[in-house]
Amino acid sequence: DVKVTQSSRYLVKRTGEKVFLECVQDMDHENMFWYRQDPGLGLRLIYFSYDVKMKEKGDIPEGYSVSREKKERFSLILESASTNQTSMYLCASSLAIPGHAGGSPLHFGNGTRLTVT
Amino acid sequence: SQQGEEDPQALSIQEGENATMNCSYKTSINNLQWYRQNSGRGLVHLILIRSNEREKHSGRLRVTLDTSKKSSSLLITASRAADTASYFCASRDMRFGAGTRLTVKP
């Protein structure tokens, strides 16, 4: 079974701090994704990556950056945390790009619930 | 942009009843995926149905796809309390809707 591990289950940070959310997958997947989930808004795509050192912006990249130095690890960085970034953050990986012909599904981690005070 | 939009937003049924959730999407697709999320956890993939398929089964789950109407439905038969969760669909570009919150009462 694919395992996607997010380093923290709960995190509390102060406004203005630089925050790193780590995600590691163990199945040699090419594709990795970061979402945030807020009540009533569903999941919103922040960034994704199709290969090492490659990144693409999703729908809400403002205030975030990402790093993918190794295939198995995809980090989400909040450059200067703000209270409106309080949310559940979900990382996912896939073997093939899900929406493409021959696509395969996303495998999610259990999420990091981040509170910014 | 949201590709998958689930309907209804919430559904409450008794154990043993069937539950039907719908998903509409906006553009052409190669496949559509259904996921489940237990409270406070990550999403778990349930079924992927390709654009050339009309129906797919997995245990008590049945998914249909109507590409002419740009819609899909997820049917859970003989529901159990453990089916209580939120259900999401996703199509192109890995976008999700807000989900259907299913409550199955014992």
Side-chain angles (χ1 to χ4, degrees), chain A residues 60-90:
Chain A
I60 52 163
E62 297 78 19
Y64 303 95
S65 63
V66 290
S67 172
R68 189 144 182 226
E69 295 295 318
K70 293 185 178 182
K71 193 175 188 178
E72 67 270 19
R73 185 180 297 269
F74 192 35
S75 304
L76 180 68
I77 304 156
L78 285 66
E79 297 292 342
S80 177
S82 63
T83 55
N84 64 11
Q85 291 178 311
T86 291
S87 187
M88 168 74 99
Y89 289 88
L90 293 164

Side-chain angles (χ1 to χ4, degrees), chain A residues 1-51:
Chain A
D1 264 359
V2 178
K3 191 163 185 183
V4 179
T5 303
Q6 294 184 232
S7 55
S8 302
R9 189 86 178 90
Y10 298 94
L11 210 52
V12 180
K13 296 291 181 181
R14 293 197 179 277
T15 301
E17 278 192 78
K18 189 168 186 176
V19 181
F20 292 85
L21 302 183
E22 305 289 347
C23 176
V24 177
Q25 49 93 5
D26 66 358
M27 282 301 291
D28 205 33
H29 283 176
E30 299 286 341
N31 312 292
M32 296 189 75
F33 308 83
W34 275 106
Y35 293 87
R36 65 176 282 178
Q37 184 177 24
D38 300 285
L41 295 178
L43 280 78
R44 291 180 289 168
L45 183 62
I46 305 171
Y47 267 99
F48 56 100
S49 169
Y50 293 150
D51 200 353

Side-chain angles (χ1 to χ4, degrees), chain B:
Chain B
S1 63
Q2 288 182 331
Q3 275 288 340
E5 296 281 352
E6 298 87 357
D7 171 67
Q9 289 186 347
L11 183 59
S12 182
I13 59 173
Q14 293 294 135
E15 208 164 27
E17 294 180 342
N18 295 343
T20 300
M21 289 157 268
N22 303 298
C23 169
S24 59
Y25 56 91
K26 295 173 184 169
T27 63
S28 63
I29 60 169
N30 294 302
N31 63 64
L32 187 134
Q33 311 124 50
W34 282 92
Y35 295 83
R36 162 192 165 134
Q37 183 182 35
N38 288 79
S39 181
R41 313 297 285 185
L43 281 71
V44 174
H45 172 249
L46 296 175
I47 289 183
L48 183 151
I49 186 167
R50 302 201 184 276
S51 58
N52 61 353
E53 298 175 308
R54 290 297 165 257
E55 190 170 307
K56 202 162 183 179
H57 296 252
S58 177
R60 293 183 297 110
L61 306 180
R62 186 185 84 156
V63 167
T64 59
L65 179 65
D66 186 337
T67 53
S68 66
K69 294 181 180 177
K70 293 188 169 56
S71 68
S72 174
S73 66
L74 169 66
L75 168 68
I76 304 174
T77 60
S79 64
R80 305 166 181 168
D83 294 327
T84 293
S86 292
Y87 292 83
F88 297 85
C89 66
S91 55
R92 290 180 77 92
D93 300 329
M94 296 74 68
R95 265 66 169 184
F96 291 79
T100 292
R101 175 71 190 165
L102 173 66
T103 302
V104 182
K105 300 174 187 175

